[in-house]
Amino acid sequence: MTETVLVVGGGGREHAIARAVADDCALYACAGVRNPGIRRLADGFAAIDETDPAAVADYATEVGADLAVIGPESALEAGVADALDDAGVYAFGPRAAEARLETDKAYQREFMEEHAIPGCPDYAVFDDTEAACEYIDGYDGDLAVKPAGLTGGKGVKVIGDQVTSEEAKAYLRDSDYDRVVLEERLVGEEFTIQAFVADGDLRTTPAVQDHKRAYEGDEGPNTGGMGSYSDTGRSLPFMRDGDYEAAVDVLAAVVDALPEYKGVLYGQFMLTDTGPKVVEFNARFGDPEAMNTLPVLDTPFVDVLAAARDGEPLPELSFSGEATVCKYAVPDGYPTDPDAGAEIAVDEEHAGDALLYYASVDERDGRLYTTTSRAFAVVGRGDSVAAAEAQAEDALAAAGDRVRIRHDIGTADLVQRRIDHMDDLRS
């Protein structure tokens, strides 16, 4: 029997999900923007606010969806998984209560402490801004300042890296957040592992390293992610034997403590001189990390979804063994003052053998327009990170004008800097 799958969301991550399932199901999609890549793959598309649980559930019922995959964290926080489950459509995504692991950073740290999840940094939670500022003054060391709620990957400020202590306090006073988490600054190299989870079972995917800084050389403000890379195996070039497994043990401990959790569990880790520590958990695929993981997944993703719904053991995952490099094209001025509403032209034929994923663009009357976020990504694949980077770079002829790209992602120089950094820390 052919499954009918609904993909909720209209960004690059959701385009990757749609491409991963399109050949094996009847595909429908809904989102607040008209992503041209998703619309071409889908048998039906509805312009629906993905944070409207009732509207999403009604559309799922209307198209006879058997399964749904929820892309954005905002939809999970709004309870879209709850509404779909209650309507009889299995949602591969946690219900709002379990999604708090991402949507509430204070809960996240308190959960880790309560259940003795490894890799938790020192932290403190404040609902009083002046008390938080006093903590900054009295802390012996640098801190990461994190709003407790969702901020689209752009709310964290790190003392000693992005801001001074005085700037961090000014940020808190100007922002007027209800709650903030202050935690020890972790020093090392970040990496992500995404796991498929259902019924207490989990299957993990290769590690990915994202690049948050806006400009080449890791300069500028944080973004939602300018690009990312993965290697031919499960690990990354700067990781040693046992690092990947130690991070997987953390994810397994979370699943043991949250037996009702289903969907993607994303662990963002900092590899320190003493091993992996948890930067944060997300309750969905990463963006761009989904675009590194799903194109090299040989196991049909629909089989994972069906097994989760049917209460069967999740299939063991098989991957192609290719390295990947993803590079995003973003609007001029992103992230501080993005040129939203600009018409862009993407010559898909120039992408060559690379994959092209549309993200935060809106298609109107056959024309493409930027929004306030990342426009589209190209993903190169190859038998090495260098080969994948070369393919991605060649594909950027498709980028056209009015966008900006971090060309250094995946390059030999940048990867070697990561290796050297970890060698220095560990020595």
Side-chain angles (χ1 to χ4, degrees):
M1 182 184 72
T2 300
E3 304 284 1
T4 300
V5 177
L6 174 67
V7 173
V8 180
R13 163 184 49 217
E14 291 78 29
H15 191 181
I17 295 168
R19 184 173 281 165
V21 300
D23 291 341
D24 301 311
C25 70
L27 173 63
Y28 291 83
C30 62
V33 296
R34 294 170 287 272
N35 182 308
I38 296 174
R39 290 182 68 182
R40 285 180 216 156
L41 291 168
D43 296 292
F45 177 89
I48 293 173
D49 180 352
E50 53 261 45
T51 63
D52 185 337
V56 173
D58 286 347
Y59 182 64
T61 302
E62 176 187 327
V63 300
D66 306 298
L67 298 158
V69 186
I70 301 169
E73 61 270 32
S74 57
L76 295 169
E77 183 179 44
V80 170
D82 306 58
L84 288 165
D85 286 342
D86 293 345
V89 179
Y90 181 86
F92 193 70
R95 296 172 73 92
E98 285 76 38
R100 284 186 69 201
L101 196 64
E102 171 175 7
T103 61
D104 184 340
K105 291 183 179 64
Y107 168 81
Q108 180 184 111
R109 291 309 189 199
E110 291 161 353
F111 168 88
M112 291 187 71
E113 184 175 29
E114 177 183 353
H115 296 281
I117 306 297
C120 187
D122 293 336
Y123 75 95
V125 179
F126 296 90
D127 57 13
D128 180 274
T129 297
E130 291 310 313
C133 291
E134 289 177 10
Y135 185 86
I136 291 172
D137 286 335
Y139 189 79
D140 183 18
D142 291 333
L143 291 162
V145 180
K146 298 183 174 184
L150 295 176
T151 58
K154 306 181 189 73
V156 177
K157 305 293 182 185
V158 181
I159 297 172
D161 178 23
Q162 299 164 287
V163 294
T164 65
S165 294
E166 292 304 314
E167 288 169 338
K169 290 187 291 183
Y171 168 63
L172 288 177
R173 289 172 174 138
D174 292 343
S175 300
D176 195 29
Y177 292 118
D178 291 336
R179 285 183 306 153
V180 295
V181 182
L182 303 181
E183 55 191 48
E184 64 171 305
R185 177 190 175 189
L186 300 175
V187 177
E189 287 295 331
E190 291 191 33
F191 68 95
T192 296
I193 297 176
Q194 299 164 106
F196 303 149
V197 180
D199 302 311
D201 205 7
L202 82 160
R203 299 287 184 267
T204 59
T205 65
V208 179
Q209 186 173 52
D210 185 18
H211 298 69
K212 291 287 190 185
R213 293 300 189 96
Y215 309 127
E216 297 192 6
D218 295 321
E219 299 291 335
N222 274 353
T223 70
M226 292 295 295
S228 47
Y229 71 94
S230 65
D231 210 342
T232 55
R234 298 278 180 130
S235 190
L236 288 167
F238 57 82
M239 299 168 70
R240 293 181 179 175
D241 289 346
D243 290 338
Y244 180 90
E245 292 76 13
V248 171
D249 288 343
V250 173
L251 297 178
V254 172
V255 174
D256 286 344
L258 273 182
E260 300 302 314
Y261 193 97
K262 58 186 173 65
V264 176
L265 176 60
Y266 164 123
Q268 184 178 355
F269 299 94
M270 183 73 78
L271 182 57
T272 70
D273 58 350
T274 60
K277 295 288 188 72
V278 176
V279 177
E280 66 178 359
F281 296 115
N282 290 336
R284 37 69 190 182
F285 277 114
D287 187 341
E289 293 94 336
M291 291 178 275
N292 299 95
T293 301
L294 290 171
V296 296
L297 177 64
D298 285 342
T299 305
F301 188 42
V302 168
D303 290 355
V304 175
L305 301 177
R309 177 199 58 201
D310 297 339
E312 298 175 355
L314 298 180
E316 297 295 334
L317 302 182
S318 175
F319 294 90
S320 70
E322 295 168 293
T324 67
V325 172
C326 173
K327 302 189 184 191
Y328 250 120
V330 303
D332 287 338
Y334 175 83
T336 54
D337 187 24
D339 185 14
E343 183 178 352
I344 58 173
V346 181
D347 186 351
E348 296 182 12
E349 291 185 4
H350 277 93
D353 293 329
L355 301 172
L356 191 150
Y357 293 103
Y358 289 101
S360 292
V361 293
D362 199 17
E363 185 181 39
R364 302 193 299 272
D365 300 322
R367 297 183 176 185
L368 283 181
Y369 298 88
T370 60
T371 67
T372 58
S373 191
R374 299 163 294 176
F376 64 91
V378 295
V379 177
R381 295 167 291 176
D383 59 7
S384 66
V385 175
E389 191 277 330
Q391 188 181 93
E393 193 64 22
D394 287 345
L396 290 172
D401 299 324
R402 308 189 77 169
V403 293
R404 182 176 55 78
I405 297 151
R406 265 194 68 172
H407 292 280
D408 63 340
I409 293 170
T411 59
D413 285 348
L414 196 60
V415 172
Q416 188 61 49
R417 280 173 49 192
R418 305 295 197 250
I419 296 169
D420 294 344
H421 184 209
M422 284 312 306
D423 286 346
D424 288 345
L425 286 176
R426 285 171 150 158
S427 64

